[in-house]
């Protein structure tokens, strides 16, 4: 599991995991939607309008979490996705802007 850490030199393996996660169009859409949201926005996985099964949706969110792109915030019996915006910008400056402008 790749974890993006602020203020550290990131290995190529961490970047590779992020790029693999972003290679799928559904996961890229999720990340771009989160980029376009307000800073620190939290969204339920059903709010992205994905036309996939629950199991497939859960799989995509797990990959995004394991790659370090998002974190999950538990609110009672619901879980919300939150972009790790500050950590990603610190570790990979310009990545989020590039993704936003390319989608």
């Amino acid at each position: 599991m790749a974890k993006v850490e602020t203020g550290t030199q990131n290995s190529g393996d961490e970047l590779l995991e992020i790029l693999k996660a972003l290679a799928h169009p559904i996961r890229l859409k999720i990340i771009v939607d989160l980029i376009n949201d307000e800073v620190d926005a939290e969204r339920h996985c059903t709010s992205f309008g994905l036309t996939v099964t629950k199991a497939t949706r859960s799989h995509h969110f797990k990959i995004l979490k394991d790659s370090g792109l998002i974190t999950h915030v538990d609110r009672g019996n619901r879980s919300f996705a939150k972009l790790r915006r500050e950590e990603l910008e610190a570790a990979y400056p310009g990545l989020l802007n590039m993704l936003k402008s390319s989608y």
Side-chain angles (χ1 to χ4, degrees), residues 49-84:
L50 306 176
T51 55
V52 296
T53 65
K54 182 179 178 181
T56 301
R57 187 174 56 232
S58 295
H59 170 74
H60 287 303
F61 278 92
K62 180 182 183 329
I63 290 173
L64 291 172
K65 182 180 177 193
D66 289 349
S67 70
L69 286 164
I70 66 170
T71 186
H72 282 153
V73 179
D74 291 322
R75 302 264 185 246
N77 62 349
R78 297 184 80 185
S79 180
F80 294 84
K82 180 179 173 184
L83 182 65
R84 298 183 67 214

Side-chain angles (χ1 to χ4, degrees), residues 30-47:
I30 292 167
I31 295 301
V32 171
D33 284 355
L34 287 169
I35 291 169
N36 288 326
D37 284 348
E38 295 178 17
V39 174
D40 292 331
E42 300 170 1
R43 288 184 57 181
H44 191 266
C45 63
T46 59
S47 72

